[in-house]
Amino acid sequence: MDRLNLKKLTTEGRNENTMDIDRISTLEMVKKINNEDKKVAEAVEKELPKIAEAIDCIVERMYKGGRLIYLGAGTSGRLGILDASECPPTFGISEEMVQGIMAGGKEAIFRAKEGAEDSMELAVKDLKNKNITENDTIVGIAASGRTPYVIGGLKYANEVGALTISITCNANSQVSKTAKISIAPVVGAEVVTGSTRLKSGTAQKLVLNMLSTGAMIKLGKVYGNLMVDVKSTNEKLIERAKLIVCAATGIGIEDATEVLNKTDFDVKLAIFIILSKLNKDEARIILDQNNGYIAKALENI
């Protein structure tokens, strides 16, 4: 099958710049790696219009109760798990809102189960277990663009009517053709031939960062550039919450702490109370009416 012809894949090509990487000094070696890494951001830059389109479509569905679900195998799957797991503490969302599904299940996160990526049916089963709907967004992540698990998952998601997005590092791949929105930063041959945990993985991480962070910003989880829905679950985050309130409002740390105590350390509510000069109950109502978006709520007082 064409999907098994690895010679055609950019990610499987030999890099002319690193043919001697096993025979040079350590400093020369890391310089070569660094020079290749510099190409990643430029490749992602070319895909920014598609990334922006994807974010807007994700947010539209999230306002209807939809979820963002990453689907992948190997390094790609682990990157999805990583991005999803960091969203709840950063943006104060439920663990259901952004999720990662890994071919082979939880065990495959820590120990490679390479055979799991070859099953289209397994992806369908995994998505059925999530009860996906047309309001959900399924992001298929596959550096090669040929992973059967991801292709199967995207095809099923299309049948359900969900939004499908692909993140690959090969142009015109099967995964890209299956998704409604294709994001394909082509970073070129890897430093170590076929090791897509390197440049390809870095490119995928950058795109995932943009998708989740961009969506959260659009949902009002950020005020200015401050993470105002952060959960104060440890000492570091408690202090960060205080500093965020200070930065957003210009008040001192003691006053910020006092307001935070009144709001049970709800950072967003504390900020809005201070800026709006409303009482807690009034402030909460106005925030809710504006979907928790501080800037909009301030305009509508």
Side-chain angles (χ1 to χ4, degrees):
M1 296 176 64
D2 185 59
R3 65 178 173 82
L4 296 177
N5 192 346
L6 299 183
K7 290 181 180 179
K8 292 183 178 181
L9 302 179
T10 303
T11 50
E12 297 293 329
R14 290 196 70 183
N15 192 320
E16 296 292 334
N17 299 322
T18 61
M19 293 287 198
D20 60 348
I21 202 164
D22 61 330
R23 300 185 298 279
I24 55 180
S25 72
T26 305
L27 179 57
E28 290 175 306
M29 176 185 70
V30 294
K31 281 182 177 180
K32 283 181 180 284
I33 295 173
N34 183 238
N35 284 335
E36 291 299 314
D37 285 342
K38 290 175 183 177
K39 300 173 183 178
V40 175
E42 293 180 355
V44 172
E45 183 178 14
K46 295 176 182 177
E47 297 299 298
L48 292 181
K50 290 291 186 68
I51 296 169
E53 178 189 358
I55 290 169
D56 287 338
C57 291
I58 291 167
V59 172
E60 180 183 348
R61 283 159 177 78
M62 282 185 163
Y63 272 126
K64 298 175 183 177
R67 301 163 293 175
L68 174 59
I69 300 176
Y70 299 132
L71 188 74
T75 297
S76 298
R78 293 183 190 98
L79 288 169
I81 296 287
L82 174 63
D83 193 76
S85 66
E86 292 178 341
C87 285
T90 305
F91 300 112
I93 62 173
S94 72
E95 293 182 359
E96 294 293 312
M97 194 170 187
V98 182
Q99 302 180 40
I101 301 177
M102 178 84 179
K106 291 183 178 179
E107 182 183 340
I109 299 172
F110 306 101
R111 181 175 297 177
K113 293 180 68 175
E114 302 297 347
E117 72 173 53
D118 293 331
S119 173
M120 290 189 181
E121 293 76 17
L122 180 59
V124 174
K125 178 182 176 182
D126 288 342
L127 288 177
K128 283 184 176 179
N129 286 338
K130 295 293 183 181
N131 296 313
I132 65 169
T133 73
E134 68 275 6
N135 290 329
D136 292 321
T137 300
I138 310 303
V139 180
I141 316 167
S144 68
R146 54 157 292 277
T147 308
Y149 179 84
V150 175
I151 294 169
L154 291 176
K155 285 183 175 180
Y156 173 70
N158 284 334
E159 292 173 8
V160 172
L163 172 66
T164 51
I165 299 169
S166 64
I167 305 175
T168 71
C169 293
N170 282 295
N172 301 314
S173 69
Q174 187 59 46
V175 166
S176 294
K177 293 173 183 176
T178 306
K180 293 172 184 173
I181 299 176
S182 167
I183 301 169
V186 180
V187 297
E190 297 287 2
V191 168
V192 176
T193 305
S195 183
T196 52
R197 56 180 284 274
L198 300 173
K199 289 192 296 182
S200 296
T202 302
Q204 291 172 318
K205 179 67 164 66
L206 291 177
V207 174
L208 291 169
N209 284 349
M210 290 182 190
L211 292 181
S212 58
T213 304
M216 294 301 114
I217 291 171
K218 291 282 187 177
L219 289 172
K221 303 293 183 180
V222 173
Y223 177 59
N225 61 357
L226 301 170
M227 55 174 92
V228 292
D229 271 327
V230 65
K231 295 300 182 185
S232 304
T233 53
N234 59 38
E235 290 185 13
K236 180 189 76 173
L237 293 177
I238 288 171
E239 292 307 308
R240 177 178 289 169
K242 296 175 184 178
L243 292 175
I244 288 172
V245 173
C246 292
T249 64
I251 68 174
I253 195 81
E254 291 183 2
D255 289 335
T257 303
E258 182 179 345
V259 179
L260 280 166
N261 284 329
K262 291 179 181 178
T263 64
D264 295 321
F265 265 75
D266 184 324
V267 175
K268 178 184 286 182
L269 182 58
I271 290 170
F272 189 58
I273 287 171
I274 295 164
L275 294 178
S276 67
K277 297 181 172 56
L278 297 172
N279 65 43
K280 185 171 74 172
D281 292 337
E282 292 172 333
R284 192 185 299 278
I285 291 170
I286 298 295
L287 266 180
D288 289 344
Q289 289 174 345
N290 289 276
N291 296 313
Y293 210 118
I294 293 178
K296 291 180 181 177
L298 289 170
E299 292 174 0
N300 293 319
I301 295 175

